[in-house]
Amino acid sequence: AMQGGGLGNLLETLEAVMAGDQYDDDVPEEAERERELDRLIPISAELRNQLVDEFGFQEGRAKKALWLHKFDVNRAVEWLIGESEDVQDQPITAREFRAIMHCFGVARSGSSGPGQASAELMTEDSAAGDSADAARQLSQHSDDDSDSQHAGENERRLAADTLAILMGDAAA
């Protein structure tokens, strides 16, 4: 399962993209998306400082990387090193916004559901500076579906498609 982690997250993102198409009206305007994510999925000062102060990444890019990779610092850093600055500086797309919200299990105010609870949980964790626990809780539900492990070839193809979708979003 070690190597499957990235693919698992990509698959989740793909599901979110597919499921999210009917929720277009639930996505804020481009200029508001980062502020809305700040409010609903706050990044702990500890994580922010690690990427911005210690590693020297630009704050907007660092935040986008952390949200896109479910607060997984290693994968966020890989993305920041490997991805072009043009892509990093693109505002968060509607597709990415929906995928992030879905992966963190957060609902926007107005929609009821389990989302509010997990948003509160995360805020407490961030306040305690205990982002590792938050990340662990969040990654747990992605480990549940071990069935997807057997999908090997399919999974890789889906992952490639997802990347194409997410990367092509800016061009489209």
Side-chain angles (χ1 to χ4, degrees):
M2 288 298 290
Q3 172 198 4
L7 287 176
N9 277 359
L10 266 177
L11 273 177
E12 257 182 56
T13 307
L14 180 65
E15 280 167 28
V17 166
M18 314 262 279
D21 282 339
Q22 64 253 39
Y23 303 129
D24 245 357
D25 50 345
D26 209 29
V27 176
E29 292 303 304
E30 192 174 90
E32 295 296 316
R33 284 174 204 150
E34 186 178 327
R35 199 171 317 146
E36 187 71 346
L37 288 175
D38 272 332
R39 187 175 73 80
L40 292 168
I41 310 173
I43 292 169
S44 70
E46 182 190 7
L47 274 182
R48 183 215 159 275
N49 294 345
Q50 197 177 351
L51 288 189
V52 177
D53 300 336
E54 290 175 36
F55 295 154
F57 293 113
Q58 190 249 334
E59 180 161 11
R61 295 172 185 166
K63 282 160 57 172
K64 184 174 175 180
L66 286 166
W67 282 319
L68 285 173
H69 298 97
K70 287 177 79 174
F71 292 171
D72 180 328
V73 173
N74 293 332
R75 294 185 54 228
V77 168
E78 280 171 24
W79 184 82
L80 286 162
I81 291 170
E83 193 52 87
S84 79
E85 295 191 346
D86 283 350
V87 170
Q88 293 179 32
D89 288 337
Q90 288 291 324
I92 289 164
T93 64
R95 230 179 222 141
E96 288 169 336
F97 182 89
R98 284 197 304 261
I100 291 165
M101 296 284 283
H102 173 85
C103 287
F104 279 101
V106 175
R108 291 186 73 202
S109 52
S111 47
S112 60
Q116 293 332 103
S118 59
E120 282 158 29
L121 258 181
M122 291 187 51
T123 315
E124 284 167 28
D125 279 336
S126 304
D130 198 354
S131 47
D133 268 1
R136 215 170 299 119
Q137 284 169 11
L138 288 164
S139 62
Q140 247 144 35
H141 78 90
S142 66
D143 298 335
D144 291 342
D145 57 357
S146 52
D147 292 348
S148 61
Q149 306 300 345
H150 310 304
E153 193 47 50
N154 249 356
E155 198 173 77
R156 270 191 292 281
R157 204 171 306 123
L158 274 175
D161 290 349
T162 307
L163 276 175
I165 288 171
L166 291 173
M167 295 303 110
D169 210 41

